[in-house]
């Protein structure tokens, strides 16, 4: 497997496991949050899905976010299925973009976010996007543990 194939596999595996967790959240808990400052369950799912689209924009613009506003932002919160359906076209474009990069580009393109003091190769930056999702999936597993509900087995 080459670097690009491994990146795609990582994105697909992280998302597959995230979806297992997301779909396990009972409707009664979609709006549950551990405290007033935390995101609730469905907000966190939206945050991950929006985040991927925002990262996509950042990559396409060499590190600049500019005035970008997520097209998912104004959607009402309804269900996990709706969140996934609404984000699917953006996910497909994101994966298509990754598939379009060469191994050389993954190593030689830099994403520079001056306002955050970040300078990362494209390959490194892409790995961090998947990590962001994995961290929030772990948070949601903790939420499910806190409310004492069944947690899916994601380690298959």
């Amino acid at each position: 497997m080459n670097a690009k194939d491994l990146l795609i596999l990582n994105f697909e595996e992280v998302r597959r496991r995230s979806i297992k967790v997301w779909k396990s959240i009972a409707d009664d808990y979609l709006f549950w949050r551990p405290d007033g400052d935390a995101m609730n369950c469905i907000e966190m799912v939206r945050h991950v899905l929006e985040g991927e689209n925002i990262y996509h924009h950042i990559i396409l613009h060499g590190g600049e976010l500019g005035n970008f506003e997520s097209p998912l932002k104004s959607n009402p919160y309804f269900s996990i299925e709706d969140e996934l359906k609404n984000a699917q076209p953006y996910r497909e474009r994101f994966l298509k973009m990754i598939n379009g990069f060469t191994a050389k580009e993954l190593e030689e393109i830099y994403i520079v976010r001056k306002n955050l003091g970040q300078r990362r190769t494209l390959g490194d930056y892409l790995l961090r996007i998947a990590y962001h999702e994995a961290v929030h999936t772990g948070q949601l597993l903790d939420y499910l543990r806190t409310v004492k509900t069944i947690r899916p087995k994601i380690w298959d």
Side-chain angles (χ1 to χ4, degrees):
M1 257 188 199
N2 62 38
K4 183 170 52 175
D5 292 340
L6 287 169
L7 281 167
I8 294 293
L9 176 63
N10 189 46
F11 275 107
E12 289 174 346
E13 280 299 296
V14 168
R15 180 57 53 88
R16 181 180 67 80
R17 292 167 188 207
S18 294
I19 288 172
K20 276 186 171 187
V21 173
W22 299 344
K23 288 185 173 184
S24 77
I25 302 167
D27 290 346
D28 293 347
Y29 292 116
L30 286 177
F31 296 93
W32 184 87
R33 67 183 79 231
D35 62 64
D37 294 327
M39 286 183 269
N40 67 38
C41 294
I42 199 165
E43 286 171 338
M44 196 174 302
V45 170
R46 167 87 53 91
H47 170 75
V48 167
L49 297 171
E50 276 186 320
E52 185 174 83
N53 194 27
I54 292 167
Y55 287 129
H56 185 183
H57 177 84
I58 289 168
I59 290 167
L60 291 175
H61 295 90
E64 295 296 323
L65 183 58
N67 297 353
F68 180 78
E69 198 166 303
S70 169
L72 304 175
K73 184 178 181 179
S74 62
N75 291 353
Y77 291 106
F78 183 68
S79 70
I80 297 299
E81 288 298 331
D82 271 8
E83 293 298 315
L84 289 168
K85 184 183 86 182
N86 292 335
Q88 187 59 33
Y90 304 106
R91 173 72 172 185
E92 290 170 9
R93 284 183 222 147
F94 178 69
L95 293 176
K96 184 177 180 182
M97 174 194 67
I98 295 169
N99 270 310
F101 290 122
T102 64
K104 186 176 179 180
E105 288 171 322
L106 293 173
E107 294 176 17
E108 294 182 359
I109 292 174
Y110 279 85
I111 305 301
V112 180
R113 305 216 39 218
K114 292 177 187 174
N115 59 325
L116 299 176
Q118 293 177 349
R119 185 177 193 274
R120 309 262 189 256
T121 64
L122 176 59
D124 180 359
Y125 197 74
L126 288 167
L127 284 172
R128 290 166 190 267
I129 295 168
Y131 179 71
H132 173 256
E133 180 169 333
V135 165
H136 285 305
T137 298
Q139 282 183 285
L140 284 170
L141 283 168
D142 185 54
Y143 280 24
L144 296 173
R145 178 185 295 274
T146 300
V147 298
K148 298 179 178 18
T149 192
I150 296 170
R151 296 177 314 280
K153 292 183 180 175
I154 61 169
W155 302 111
D156 49 13

